[in-house]
Amino acid sequence: MTAPKTIRWGILATGAIAVTFTKDLLVDPKTRGVNHIKHTVVAAASSSSKSRAEQFLKDTGCPSDAKAYGSYEELVKDPNIDMVYIATPHSHHYQNAMFCLEAGKNVLCEKAFTVNAAQAKALAMKAQEKNLFLMEAVWTRYFPLSVYVRDLITSGRIGPVARVLADNSMALNPEESFNDGKHRMVNPDLAGGALLDLGIYSLTWVFQTLYHTQPESTRQPPKVLAALKSYGPTKAADEASTIVLNFPRSPEAGGDAHAVATTSLRVATAPAGNGDAPGIRIQGPNGEIQVFPPAFRPTRTKLILRDGTVEEKNWSQPGPGGGSGWYNGFAGGRNAEGEGHGMFWEADEAATALVEGRKEGKYEGLAESILIMEVMDEVRRQGGLSYPEKIETTKYPVQL
Ligand SMILES: NC(=O)c1ccc[n+]([C@@H]2O[C@H](COP(=O)([O-])OP(=O)(O)OC[C@H]3O[C@@H](n4cnc5c(N)ncnc54)[C@H](OP(=O)(O)O)[C@@H]3O)[C@@H](O)[C@H]2O)c1
Ligand SMILES: *[C@@H]1O[C@H](CO)[C@@H](O)[C@H](O)[C@H]1NC(C)=O
């Protein structure tokens, strides 16, 4: 066996998800049965100060020789970085990702990939021109749970999928939680709203079950009908979006398939907060697959067939384990001691692609990321939601 190859990461931004991702990244891949690669963090950058980057390196447990930068410019110039993980608000992804690609860096960029499809296309073209790896960090796609669900579908257990219902909703009380209107969930300057932040996961489930599972040669873009409710106080971000999609398929493949993708800041997928409602239902003539909330980090599935078969599964998030004193979680939330958050699987895939010389993610290539951005563009068009020109533009560079 050849020695594992180590991928050297640079972390661009020091916010909540950057912390969660970086902690997961530093978990030994062997704990999840991955032996061919390793990850290390060689630098992190904050746009506000070097001391913030230093604090970030400490909080996440990065190697003591990792560099702290007080600007993104310094980070992209660091010759020791193989891949940059971008964790700024989605309003900034286009400018930040273009900046990294121009500097010759491979990129894993948080969701939503960009503000619109035109930006996503421009990034894909730049990556191709520079022969660099570029992937949207839709971590859920890389969960073993997602692989299992897609395998259930392609193996025909429930028959051709006829309908998918997918919800990702939060019950956040936005007026109270985001009362100054500055939070990225409601702030138009940060491409705020439910659709780009949460609805992306409803669409992820729809696309990975109805689109990605089809042979590449037969995949066709869906038709889209949308209702969008704008958020009262800012009037320029959506508090809820509901999307009906029709996926064309040949009669042999089961004919057209329908999906309903929903998202809301105000109501919950599971009202009791305990994952009691299957937020995702994938239905075929022989039965259905249920995935329990949250849609972005599910840990439970249920296969129910018409012949009476019921298969329930729990999916663990491996980490250093109980007694390790190590904790991860998102934005103040805390998982059980030693339990990972599930972000390492996408990192493993990005690293594996680098080792293999691939330029795109295995379970969602750039064409699919672009198509999903096109669907969200169409939802916003039908719902009358646009963002400030400086964050919708494909012009580069623009100072945000
Ligand atoms: N995969 C997931 O589960 C997941 C979960 C949450 C969020 N996300 C995505 O990750 C991105 C960041 O979300 P987050 O929750 O980490 O947000 P956050 O806590 O607000 O962090 C964003 C970071 O971006 C940097 N930044 C640069 N310019 C900024 C500006 N004008 N306004 C605010 N921040 C700015 C800041 O770090 P420095 O200035 O120190 O660099 C800030 O800490 C979003 O695109 C979001 O959709 C993904
Ligand atoms: C999954 O976990 C839940 C909660 O801990 C438990 O009640 C259930 O029995 C488990 N199901 C399986 C199939 O292991």
Side-chain angles (χ1 to χ4, degrees), residues 173-347:
N173 192 350
E175 285 84 357
E176 209 175 280
S177 309
F178 314 127
N179 60 1
D180 64 1
K182 297 225 167 83
H183 192 275
R184 71 151 203 279
M185 214 61 103
V186 294
N187 183 351
D189 292 332
L190 299 180
L195 177 68
L196 264 66
D197 204 285
L198 305 173
I200 180 81
Y201 289 110
S202 315
L203 289 170
T204 289
W205 276 102
V206 167
F207 269 81
Q208 74 165 337
T209 55
L210 270 177
Y211 184 80
H212 197 82
T213 47
Q214 291 191 54
E216 226 170 317
S217 58
T218 67
R219 292 175 196 164
Q220 289 180 60
K223 282 211 186 66
V224 172
L225 189 64
L228 181 149
K229 180 176 181 183
S230 76
Y231 174 59
T234 58
K235 290 201 180 51
D238 62 310
E239 70 160 63
S241 284
T242 298
I243 313 165
V244 177
L245 303 102
N246 182 56
F247 285 84
R249 274 186 323 202
S250 70
E252 302 75 52
D256 288 5
H258 294 174
V260 183
T262 53
T263 185
S264 166
L265 297 182
R266 208 175 291 281
V267 298
T269 301
N274 57 3
D276 54 349
I280 294 138
R281 299 176 65 187
I282 302 147
Q283 303 175 315
N286 304 334
E288 77 174 57
I289 306 161
Q290 300 182 335
V291 181
F292 292 83
F296 44 85
R297 186 178 181 263
T299 56
R300 187 154 77 92
T301 56
K302 192 169 179 179
L303 171 72
I304 309 168
L305 298 180
R306 287 183 64 164
D307 67 9
T309 306
V310 177
E311 286 174 23
E312 276 191 80
K313 281 184 191 286
N314 289 323
W315 298 83
S316 67
Q317 303 278 357
S324 60
W326 182 91
Y327 290 91
N328 205 355
F330 174 68
R334 196 150 106 149
N335 305 330
E337 186 184 29
E339 182 186 299
H341 201 69
M343 302 197 81
F344 30 62
W345 286 304
E346 65 174 355

Side-chain angles (χ1 to χ4, degrees), residues 39-380:
H39 305 282
T40 191
V41 174
V42 293
S46 168
S47 64
S48 55
S49 70
K50 184 178 172 187
S51 61
R52 194 175 150 107
E54 279 165 355
Q55 190 61 46
F56 174 89
L57 292 174
K58 251 192 230 134
D59 293 346
T60 52
C62 284
S64 55
D65 58 352
K67 294 212 170 79
Y69 295 123
S71 76
Y72 300 160
E73 286 79 3
E74 292 167 89
L75 183 89
V76 303
K77 281 191 202 136
D78 187 327
N80 294 318
I81 294 173
D82 298 316
M83 176 112 61
V84 174
Y85 167 68
I86 297 177
T88 50
H90 14 291
S91 47
H92 291 50
H93 290 174
Y94 176 68
Q95 297 294 333
N96 294 155
M98 199 56 107
F99 189 54
C100 292
L101 294 169
E102 287 285 9
K105 292 288 187 256
N106 299 294
V107 169
L108 173 65
C109 180
E110 260 309 329
K111 48 52 70 174
F113 200 30
T114 48
V115 173
N116 56 45
Q119 292 182 343
K121 280 182 198 160
L123 290 181
M125 277 174 63
K126 182 58 70 180
Q128 194 182 25
E129 176 197 316
K130 298 265 186 184
N131 197 28
L132 292 165
F133 174 83
L134 174 64
M135 177 176 133
E136 182 180 5
V138 186
W139 55 318
T140 318
R141 289 232 185 188
Y142 298 88
F143 281 26
L145 175 150
S146 288
V147 175
Y148 161 81
V149 169
R150 293 192 301 262
D151 285 349
L152 280 179
I153 292 167
T154 51
S155 67
R157 290 289 291 282
I158 61 169
V161 179
R163 184 170 68 180
V164 176
L165 308 171
D167 181 54
N168 184 32
S169 298
M170 292 299 250
L172 283 171
N173 192 350
E175 285 84 357
E176 209 175 280
S177 309
F178 314 127
N179 60 1
D180 64 1
K182 297 225 167 83
H183 192 275
R184 71 151 203 279
M185 214 61 103
V186 294
N187 183 351
D189 292 332
L190 299 180
L195 177 68
L196 264 66
D197 204 285
L198 305 173
I200 180 81
Y201 289 110
S202 315
L203 289 170
T204 289
W205 276 102
V206 167
F207 269 81
Q208 74 165 337
T209 55
L210 270 177
Y211 184 80
H212 197 82
T213 47
Q214 291 191 54
E216 226 170 317
S217 58
T218 67
R219 292 175 196 164
Q220 289 180 60
K223 282 211 186 66
V224 172
L225 189 64
L228 181 149
K229 180 176 181 183
S230 76
Y231 174 59
T234 58
K235 290 201 180 51
D238 62 310
E239 70 160 63
S241 284
T242 298
I243 313 165
V244 177
L245 303 102
N246 182 56
F247 285 84
R249 274 186 323 202
S250 70
E252 302 75 52
D256 288 5
H258 294 174
V260 183
T262 53
T263 185
S264 166
L265 297 182
R266 208 175 291 281
V267 298
T269 301
N274 57 3
D276 54 349
I280 294 138
R281 299 176 65 187
I282 302 147
Q283 303 175 315
N286 304 334
E288 77 174 57
I289 306 161
Q290 300 182 335
V291 181
F292 292 83
F296 44 85
R297 186 178 181 263
T299 56
R300 187 154 77 92
T301 56
K302 192 169 179 179
L303 171 72
I304 309 168
L305 298 180
R306 287 183 64 164
D307 67 9
T309 306
V310 177
E311 286 174 23
E312 276 191 80
K313 281 184 191 286
N314 289 323
W315 298 83
S316 67
Q317 303 278 357
S324 60
W326 182 91
Y327 290 91
N328 205 355
F330 174 68
R334 196 150 106 149
N335 305 330
E337 186 184 29
E339 182 186 299
H341 201 69
M343 302 197 81
F344 30 62
W345 286 304
E346 65 174 355
D348 291 346
E349 161 53 12
T352 303
L354 273 204
V355 171
E356 294 176 354
R358 285 186 286 113
K359 303 299 169 195
E360 300 189 31
K362 184 152 108 186
Y363 299 143
E364 183 177 4
L366 292 169
E368 196 168 339
S369 283
I370 290 167
L371 178 56
I372 293 175
M373 288 310 310
E374 283 173 342
V375 168
M376 294 202 286
D377 283 358
E378 178 59 17
V379 173
R380 289 201 292 129

